Amino acid sequence: MLQSLGDGLWTVDGPPIRGAAGFMFPTRMCLARMPDGGIWVHSPVALSEDVRSEVASLGPVRHLVAPNDLHHIHLPLWCAAYPDARVHAAPGVPMKCPFAGEDATLGDTPPVDWKDTFDQVMFSGNLITTEIVFLHRPSGTAIFTDLLQQMPADWYSGWRGTVARLDLMTSDAPEVPRKYRLAFRDRPALRAALARIQAWPIQRLVMAHGPVIETNAGGLVEHAFEWAA
């Protein structure tokens, strides 16, 4: 179901997807209307007929964004459905999804296509994945993919529930899972990325694996990265 966040920004929740060791993850994508009327799609979810109809109601899809190399599974179907859309992929995505590197590789600098609508920061030096985090300027919305997570406490059961709790995937507030914390090998690069994000005027937080946060979003982002100080 398409959820409007205002200022030309929407989210759509997709069906859960199976990850490593049988862990199921909720999915969410963000859609933004660009100044030319085209639609920017971040971390595409499964492309059902309902999703396709809702997206069509917003405008033509012009940009498909794979923000890290763990969120590219549905990209081929979207590329086939929207052949005129440009694909923007984080480092590592083209190795798993070769055609995704044909248009643009994402980095620290917003491309001309959306520099007035989004700012972005690349979190590099992580052994699990390189993630691009975005700020939707009109709404002050920070968009994270895997680096921040907050799934319901009862999302997992049994041994997976215990692992998720210890990994901080199901905490009471957004957290960087412990596995991602341990996987950062370039602490100077991490702190430089955080300094840029801390300067953002964050009013809202959207995560692929967590709720939309409307209150104290900037403070919660800062709290989630206190371990990296």
Side-chain angles (χ1 to χ4, degrees):
M1 179 70 70
L2 194 67
Q3 177 186 356
S4 174
L5 301 181
D7 298 299
L9 186 69
W10 298 264
T11 64
V12 175
D13 290 353
I17 192 168
R18 185 178 299 275
F23 280 84
M24 299 298 293
F25 289 86
T27 60
R28 172 178 293 124
M29 69 178 178
C30 280
L31 308 169
R33 179 173 287 122
M34 309 301 286
D36 65 359
I39 300 302
W40 179 93
V41 182
H42 173 276
S43 187
V45 298
L47 187 59
S48 66
E49 286 302 318
D50 287 343
V51 168
R52 190 163 182 167
S53 176
E54 290 186 324
V55 172
S57 72
L58 301 179
V61 173
R62 298 266 170 79
H63 304 283
L64 298 173
V65 178
N68 66 34
D69 67 355
L70 303 176
H71 280 245
H72 67 283
I73 301 299
H74 300 299
L75 195 57
L77 285 179
W78 282 75
C79 288
Y82 304 100
D84 295 330
R86 285 176 55 82
V87 179
H88 307 264
V93 173
M95 295 179 63
K96 296 182 176 181
C97 197
F99 65 86
E102 293 179 1
D103 291 331
T105 300
L106 294 167
D108 264 325
T109 303
V112 173
D113 294 320
W114 64 63
K115 65 181 180 64
D116 295 327
T117 305
F118 288 96
D119 196 2
Q120 65 192 61
V121 171
M122 180 169 68
F123 279 79
S124 58
N126 190 289
L127 297 178
I128 298 175
T129 193
T130 295
E131 180 167 313
I132 313 298
V133 177
F134 295 90
L135 176 75
H136 182 246
R137 296 182 189 274
S139 65
T141 301
I143 303 173
F144 281 78
T145 310
D146 287 319
L147 287 183
L148 287 184
Q149 299 181 20
Q150 188 193 354
M151 284 170 279
D154 60 353
W155 182 260
Y156 300 108
S157 60
W159 68 267
R160 290 187 181 88
T162 300
V163 170
R165 178 174 53 80
L166 294 174
D167 196 38
L168 305 180
M169 297 162 61
T170 54
S171 296
D172 292 335
E175 295 283 2
V176 181
R178 293 188 193 277
K179 58 181 172 289
Y180 285 96
R181 300 183 186 196
L182 294 172
F184 275 106
R185 289 294 180 263
D186 189 339
R187 288 305 181 97
L190 170 60
R191 295 189 183 101
L194 286 175
R196 287 188 56 197
I197 284 182
Q198 288 165 353
W200 283 352
I202 298 174
Q203 302 299 315
R204 179 191 291 123
L205 170 62
V206 173
M207 299 169 278
H209 310 307
V212 175
I213 304 292
E214 301 275 3
T215 303
N216 189 32
L220 289 172
V221 171
E222 188 164 351
H223 170 76
F225 284 97
E226 285 181 348
W227 58 272

